[in-house]
């Protein structure tokens, strides 16, 4: 396995564990899933290669979550004793297989399409954050199909990373929808995995067209094979091996365990709106990826209170934004000590500002909020809805409520699993 640093147009794409030079074939692929979490299931798997394609619907054990139903226009219906997938737009019932048979058919198709590529296949998808590969590997492992799959597929490539480097100076968004419109002059619905698999292949083909790779000189092979092999060679430097992806999946599961341990901190914030849940999910992910879990936080706080928490965050979150570190510090201190001095002082300051008791100059300021036609800004921040629970008198609420300062109201997207950001919708 070779480690390289991909750089083009002055943009460095970071270190990539690529494949050694070889005789590979490139295939576009994608999946549709019941959600964006690691425990969600695949309900469609699709792949595309020049002149041939694969698409198979799989009957999941769980229903699609509301976001997935809207994204893919698919829902699970029950007729008598049987569960089926139904297209919400056409009303057509889709032909499905069980997950194990669907995955077996996919591997068989890969074995057939491999053709003359003696070293195997590279699968390319297009997503800002990996969803497809972890879910596929998890499903393959469940049915003991990973060894057979690894004998054919040698690595995964992400077309999004390719576009980030090659299109850095020409476009501002690297989503599948934008690149399809700009590079291919196509406006397509992207709710189906088969369409996204095809576009992932075509975009990489467009971005790597004309690149000269001596390793791909296959004069004795037919033109179609030679072209696909050359494309695979162009994308090889952006490819992670299956072994590397397995290591990433193991790391992801470790992060999941840390996130689950942080429930006492983030659990009470579940009732806030979607935007704030997303912000808090990001904060929780920052802690987990930095190796911080709840036992570590408890042990740290027991040493020297909020000063110890501040030192821990400073040492572990060197790459985080200062605003995120501040939000996490106040959230954690507020959790372990709801009546902390900093929160009390801010609460008193909020009361003074509202009542016009005084300002920094020591002079009194009249309260004009009831007579002014302009609504005074809330001291709780722009992202907080003011109601009876957020009044100044409730700033000393029980430990189950977390009242944060401006810009720091947070919550989480899910308590039990890692949320995998996907571009299934190709926004």
């Amino acid at each position: 396995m070779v480690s390289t640093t991909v750089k083009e147009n002055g943009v460095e794409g970071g270190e990539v564990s690529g494949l050694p030079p070889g005789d590979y074939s490139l295939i576009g692929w994608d999946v549709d899933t019941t959600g964006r979490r690691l425990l969600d299931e695949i309900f469609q798997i699709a792949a595309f290669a020049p002149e041939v394609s694969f698409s198979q619907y799989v009957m999941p054990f769980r229903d699609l979550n509301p976001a997935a139903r809207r994204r893919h226009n698919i829902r699970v219906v029950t007729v008598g004793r049987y569960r089926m997938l139904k297209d919400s737009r056409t009303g057509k019932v889709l032909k499905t297989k069980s997950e194990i048979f669907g995955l077996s058919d996919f591997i068989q198709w890969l074995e057939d399409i491999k053709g003359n590529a003696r070293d195997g296949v590279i699968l390319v998808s297009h997503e800002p954050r990996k969803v497809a590969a972890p879910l596929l590997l998890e499903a393959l492992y469940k049915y003991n199909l990973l060894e057979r799959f690894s004998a054919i597929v040698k690595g995964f490539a992400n077309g999004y990373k390719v576009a980030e480097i090659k299109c850095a100076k020409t476009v501002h968004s690297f989503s599948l929808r934008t690149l399809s419109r700009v590079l291919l002059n196509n406006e397509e619905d992207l709710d189906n995995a088969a369409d996204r698999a095809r576009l992932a292949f075509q975009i990489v083909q467009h971005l790597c067209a004309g690149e000269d790779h001596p390793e791909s000189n296959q004069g004795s092979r037919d033109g179609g094979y030679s072209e696909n092999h050359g494309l695979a060679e162009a994308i090889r430097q952006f490819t992670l091996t299956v072994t590397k992806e397995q290591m990433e999946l193991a790391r992801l599961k470790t992060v999941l365990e840390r996130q689950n341990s942080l429930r006492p901190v983030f659990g009470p914030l579940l009732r806030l709106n979607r935007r704030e849940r997303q912000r808090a999910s990001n904060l929780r992910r920052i802690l987990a990826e930095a190796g911080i879990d709840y036992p570590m936080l408890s042990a740290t706080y027991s040493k020297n209170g909020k000063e110890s928490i501040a030192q821990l965050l400073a040492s572990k979150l060197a790459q985080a934004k200062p605003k995120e570190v501040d939000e996490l510090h106040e959230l954690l201190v507020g959790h372990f000590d709801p009546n902390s001095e900093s929160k009390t002082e801010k609460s008193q300051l909020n009361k003074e500002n509202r009542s016009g008791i005084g300002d920094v100059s020591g002079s009194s300021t009249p309260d004009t909020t009831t007579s002014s036609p302009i609504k005074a800004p809330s001291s709780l921040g722009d992202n907080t809805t003011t109601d009876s629970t957020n009044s100044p008198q409730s700033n000393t609420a029980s430990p189950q409520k977390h009242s944060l300062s401006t810009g720091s109201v947070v919550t989480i997207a899910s308590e039990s699993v890692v949320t995998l950001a996907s571009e299934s919708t190709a926004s």
Side-chain angles (χ1 to χ4, degrees):
M1 187 166 59
V2 180
S3 295
T4 61
T5 300
V6 181
K7 187 172 183 179
E8 187 170 325
N9 294 327
V11 179
E12 189 170 298
E15 186 175 290
V16 176
S17 298
L19 293 172
D23 192 0
Y24 304 105
S25 179
L26 188 70
I27 295 175
W29 82 293
D30 210 332
V31 293
D32 286 335
T33 61
T34 59
R36 299 182 180 184
R37 303 169 299 176
L38 191 58
L39 58 75
D40 281 301
E41 301 172 76
I42 296 171
F43 72 83
Q44 184 188 11
I45 184 167
F48 175 88
E51 301 181 359
V52 63
S53 61
F54 173 87
S55 179
Q56 178 62 58
Y57 285 99
V58 172
M59 191 65 229
F61 287 100
R62 64 174 61 244
D63 293 342
L64 282 69
N65 67 27
R69 289 198 297 268
R70 293 191 299 268
R71 186 182 309 119
H72 305 300
N73 295 303
I74 300 291
R75 59 192 177 95
V76 175
V77 297
T78 301
V79 179
R81 297 165 54 186
Y82 300 97
R83 299 171 74 250
M84 296 174 285
L85 288 180
K86 187 174 184 180
D87 190 314
S88 300
R89 292 176 299 185
T90 64
K92 180 181 177 181
V93 174
L94 303 172
K95 184 178 180 179
T96 62
K97 290 186 176 182
S98 65
E99 188 174 38
I100 185 172
F101 283 107
L103 292 171
S104 297
D105 286 353
F106 179 53
I107 296 175
Q108 181 62 55
W109 183 84
L110 291 173
E111 292 172 344
D112 295 338
I113 201 62
K114 174 187 173 183
N116 295 324
R118 59 178 179 270
D119 290 324
V121 167
I122 296 175
L123 295 180
V124 59
S125 59
H126 191 102
E127 48 191 355
R129 297 191 68 183
K130 288 185 293 187
V131 178
L135 286 174
L136 177 63
L137 292 177
E138 188 76 356
L140 292 169
Y141 179 78
K142 181 168 56 176
Y143 297 108
N144 296 318
L145 294 172
L146 187 56
E147 183 176 354
R148 181 184 171 192
F149 176 83
S150 301
I152 304 299
V153 177
K154 299 305 179 182
F156 294 91
N158 190 348
Y160 189 94
K161 300 299 182 183
V162 180
E164 274 188 320
I165 294 176
K166 293 184 175 292
C167 301
K169 296 183 178 180
T170 55
V171 296
H172 298 291
S173 173
F174 308 106
S175 69
L176 197 59
R177 188 180 303 279
T178 299
L179 294 176
S180 173
R181 183 173 61 249
V182 173
L183 301 180
L184 307 179
N185 197 27
N186 288 340
E187 288 282 357
E188 301 190 39
D189 291 332
L190 302 177
D191 56 356
N192 190 283
D195 294 329
R196 296 195 305 277
R198 172 176 52 82
L199 288 174
F201 182 93
Q202 291 174 343
I203 286 174
V204 166
Q205 186 179 44
H206 182 94
L207 292 175
C208 298
E211 294 190 7
D212 184 21
H213 296 277
E215 299 91 338
S216 65
N217 184 16
Q218 304 288 331
S220 62
R221 309 288 181 95
D222 61 88
Y225 173 83
S226 179
E227 181 181 355
N228 188 285
H229 176 78
L231 182 58
E233 180 60 32
I235 208 71
R236 180 177 58 82
Q237 61 180 325
F238 300 94
T239 302
L240 291 177
T241 64
V242 174
T243 300
K244 183 67 174 180
E245 287 287 358
Q246 288 179 268
M247 294 171 61
E248 288 291 313
L249 178 58
R251 185 193 67 83
L252 187 63
K253 290 181 177 180
T254 301
V255 172
L256 165 63
E257 293 175 359
R258 296 194 193 110
Q259 287 193 353
N260 286 339
S261 75
L262 293 170
R263 287 181 185 176
V265 176
F266 293 93
L269 304 174
L270 281 170
R271 296 185 180 89
L272 299 182
N273 61 49
R274 178 182 176 184
R275 179 181 178 184
E276 292 163 348
R277 285 200 303 270
Q278 290 174 341
R279 292 179 60 198
S281 179
N282 179 59
L283 292 176
R284 185 178 65 160
R285 177 182 57 80
I286 290 173
L287 286 178
E289 291 185 348
I292 299 174
D293 56 15
Y294 191 79
M296 179 185 295
L297 291 173
S298 298
T300 300
Y301 187 83
S302 64
K303 293 179 181 178
N304 196 23
K306 61 183 181 181
E307 287 78 10
S308 297
I309 292 291
Q311 292 173 4
L312 176 67
L313 296 180
S315 62
K316 293 284 189 177
L317 307 182
Q319 303 300 321
K321 298 177 182 178
K323 181 180 179 181
E324 294 171 336
V325 176
D326 291 341
E327 289 179 346
L328 283 168
H329 180 263
E330 184 165 359
L331 176 62
L332 295 174
V333 172
H335 168 76
F336 288 107
D337 184 7
N339 299 315
S340 63
E341 180 180 354
S342 60
K343 294 176 69 67
T344 303
E345 290 176 350
K346 290 182 179 181
S347 175
Q348 182 63 31
L349 180 59
N350 290 339
K351 292 179 181 180
E352 293 176 355
N353 289 338
R354 286 179 175 175
S355 60
I357 293 177
D359 56 21
V360 293
S361 64
S363 61
S364 176
T365 304
D367 182 8
T368 61
T369 58
T370 57
S371 59
S372 173
I374 302 177
K375 183 178 179 181
S378 168
S379 61
L380 294 177
D382 295 336
N383 294 326
T384 305
T385 301
T386 304
D387 56 24
S388 59
T389 62
N390 291 329
S391 63
Q393 288 76 11
S394 63
N395 284 341
T396 56
S398 63
Q400 286 74 21
K401 292 187 177 181
H402 294 246
S403 177
L404 306 181
S405 65
T406 302
S408 60
V409 177
V410 291
T411 185
I412 63 176
S414 171
E415 283 191 284
S416 58
V417 291
V418 170
T419 299
L420 301 171
S422 167
E423 200 190 16
S424 296
T425 56
S427 57

